[in-house]
Structures are given as structure tokens and as C-alpha cells.
């Protein structure tokens, strides 16, 4: 069983920064990719960035330049550094882990999210 716990959200003024964290508990020996998504009120969940265990990163175009994804494999933790925040960044931010190996290292897991509010 895999559990994801996000933290680091909060209320910040426009132009400020936040760093979100996502700790993955369970099956730490699996090969997986961690991703960040967000969902604003009344909108669909959107992909922001992902990072593989080997450090390969991908960004959605809207996240390039202001967001940076990183990880500490030893801590099974992924981070999302968000700078120059705008009111339109207000959303619930979710972490996802996708395991792509053989059982039990196969599955998609989501955290409950951490709220970011920019005013």
C-alpha cells in the first residue's frame, strides 16, 4: 500500500513563493514517477510537472519558468517550488505517484492535496 502526504500549502500574496512537499510512504524500492497536479474550483485537474527516479523532469508549458520540481530519493519526497505566484495559481495541489513495474510495483496513487491561495 502506498500513501502520499502533501504539505507546504497556505495563503500567500501575489509575487510570493511556496514550496510544496510530497512524502511517499510504502514500496519505496519501486521505480516510480512523481507528479504534481492542481485543481482550481470549478475546473479540471491539470498536470504541472513530473520527475522520474533518474531525475528526468517534464513540465506543462504553463509551469515552465516559475515552477521547479525536485526530489530527494532517500526521503521518498518530491517538491514543487513555486515562485512569482499569481492569484490564478490558487488551487488544490495534488501529488501523484505512478509505479510502472511488476506487482507490487504497479499502480497510480494520489495524495489528498494541499491548498494554495494567492491574493
Amino acid at each position: 500500500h502506498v500513501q502520499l502526504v502533501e504539505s507546504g500549502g497556505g495563503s500567500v500574496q501575489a509575487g510570493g513563493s511556496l514550496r510544496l512537499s510530497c512524502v511517499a510512504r510504502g514500496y519505496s524500492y519501486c521505480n516510480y514517477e512523481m507528479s504534481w497536479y492542481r485543481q482550481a474550483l470549478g475546473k479540471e485537474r491539470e498536470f504541472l510537472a513530473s520527475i522520474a527516479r533518474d531525475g528526468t523532469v517534464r513540465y506543462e508549458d504553463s509551469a515552465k519558468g516559475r515552477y521547479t520540481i525536485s526530489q530527494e530519493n532517500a526521503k521518498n519526497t518530491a517538491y514543487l517550488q513555486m515562485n512569482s505566484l499569481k492569484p490564478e495559481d490558487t488551487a488544490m495541489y495534488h501529488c501523484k505517484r505512478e509505479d510502472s513495474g511488476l506487482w507490487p510495483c504497479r499502480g497510480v496513487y494520489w495524495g489528498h492535496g494541499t491548498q494554495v491561495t494567492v491574493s
Side-chain angles (χ1 to χ4, degrees):
H1 180 67
V2 174
Q3 183 182 26
L4 303 179
V5 180
E6 301 101 330
S7 62
S11 297
V12 64
Q13 291 188 338
S17 298
L18 284 173
R19 189 176 83 151
L20 307 183
S21 300
C22 174
V23 179
R25 299 191 175 106
Y27 297 139
S28 59
Y29 52 85
C30 294
N31 184 36
Y32 55 77
E33 179 181 79
M34 299 283 283
S35 304
W36 285 97
Y37 287 71
R38 70 183 180 190
Q39 187 167 19
L41 199 62
K43 295 187 178 181
E44 293 186 355
R45 188 172 293 185
E46 64 171 328
F47 169 78
L48 295 172
S50 66
I51 186 165
R53 289 299 289 261
D54 67 0
T56 302
V57 299
R58 291 186 298 123
Y59 290 96
E60 176 62 29
D61 285 345
S62 62
K64 290 179 181 177
R66 295 191 300 123
Y67 293 2
T68 303
I69 191 170
S70 62
Q71 65 184 354
E72 288 187 75
N73 286 337
K75 295 183 178 180
N76 298 304
T77 301
Y79 304 96
L80 186 68
Q81 177 69 42
M82 304 186 297
N83 299 325
S84 302
L85 285 164
K86 306 173 182 179
E88 51 264 43
D89 294 318
T90 295
M92 183 70 79
Y93 285 69
H94 294 271
C95 166
K96 184 185 86 170
R97 174 177 143 173
E98 184 165 357
D99 296 16
S100 54
L102 299 176
W103 185 89
C105 297
R106 191 162 192 90
V108 178
Y109 310 94
W110 289 90
H112 291 296
T114 185
Q115 177 68 36
V116 171
T117 302
V118 185
S119 58

